[in-house]
Amino acid sequence: QPLFPFCPNSGGFPDFFGRTVPDNRRACSALAGIGESLPNKQDVIFSKMTLLANMILLRNPIDPWFRKKRITLQGLTASDLQAFYMEQGRRVKPNTVIHYHAVIHRALKYAVKMDLISVNPADKVDRPRKNGYQANFYSESEIAALFAAISDTLIEVPVKLAAFYGLRRSEVMGLRWDAVDFVHNTICIR
């Protein structure tokens, strides 16, 4: 039996253990511990969007990779996971591989809890490292060119606020008039 089985056209979805769960208004996932079909919903509760996102990740690339290698839940090793992470790391950014790891780890943690496996192989694998953030700053001439390009446009004030104060786009767009203190000439970012 594959590690993460899927049969979306069979009138239901098999869960992590191969049991078919009817596909009626209840979301169900091959990831045990994530689906709403769990007997004890208080163990792990996720939104439908999280469930959908994890199902998409399982369908591609996680499930196909393990199916192709014919790796089953009982046969899964830390080196299998490491090979998966290394291969994906050549294809996608490290933060995406970290997300794959979180999804797989959560499923395997639940498999341990249900006594399907004795040890979570994902515990033995080092979590992939995050991207190193490299900030880029405009030079004085680039700022001058930007300000000339946006002069007398609708975006002039938001761009200048971001440039002068280092605000993020969401912070600029979230500003309200009550955040501006005209008496003390200050802006309060919340």
Side-chain angles (χ1 to χ4, degrees):
Q1 170 158 338
L3 182 61
F4 301 113
F6 272 104
C7 299
N9 297 325
S10 66
F13 291 97
D15 65 11
F16 191 75
F17 314 111
R19 300 175 298 213
T20 300
V21 178
D23 185 22
N24 53 18
R25 301 170 133 214
R26 295 171 60 86
C28 182
S29 167
L31 274 178
I34 295 181
E36 291 180 25
S37 63
L38 291 177
N40 185 357
K41 293 180 190 174
Q42 294 171 345
D43 284 346
V44 181
I45 298 174
F46 287 90
S47 72
K48 288 183 181 181
M49 289 307 294
T50 302
L51 175 63
L52 178 62
N54 287 324
M55 287 178 70
I56 290 168
L57 280 181
L58 276 177
R59 287 186 183 169
N60 189 30
I62 297 172
D63 185 50
W65 193 91
F66 288 99
R67 279 182 186 266
K68 182 179 169 188
K69 306 276 185 195
R70 297 180 185 258
I71 298 171
T72 62
L73 179 61
Q74 289 74 22
L76 182 66
T77 66
S79 57
D80 294 330
L81 291 173
Q82 192 65 50
F84 172 73
Y85 298 151
M86 293 295 288
E87 186 175 314
Q88 296 306 309
R90 290 188 288 273
R91 192 180 68 79
V92 297
K93 294 188 177 196
N95 289 344
T96 304
V97 179
I98 290 170
H99 192 66
Y100 295 162
H101 174 72
V103 170
I104 291 169
H105 188 272
R106 194 165 38 242
L108 296 175
K109 181 178 176 182
Y110 191 76
V112 169
K113 182 177 179 180
M114 299 304 296
D115 291 326
L116 294 173
I117 54 176
S118 57
V119 177
N120 184 344
D123 285 338
K124 299 176 182 179
V125 178
D126 290 333
R127 182 175 170 255
R129 294 191 177 219
K130 243 184 170 174
N131 293 354
Y133 177 70
Q134 201 69 346
N136 295 318
F137 302 98
Y138 281 36
S139 67
E140 200 172 317
S141 61
E142 290 172 325
I143 288 285
L146 174 65
F147 286 174
I150 61 163
S151 181
D152 297 325
T153 66
L154 290 175
I155 63 169
E156 181 177 11
V157 173
V159 170
K160 285 187 174 180
L161 280 170
F164 284 126
Y165 300 107
L167 301 179
R168 295 180 183 96
R169 181 178 17 189
S170 61
E171 292 170 330
V172 172
M173 300 311 294
L175 279 178
R176 299 171 150 255
W177 282 113
D178 62 355
V180 180
D181 184 346
F182 291 101
V183 174
H184 297 101
N185 293 323
T186 60
I187 300 173
C188 181
I189 308 299
R190 295 183 184 102

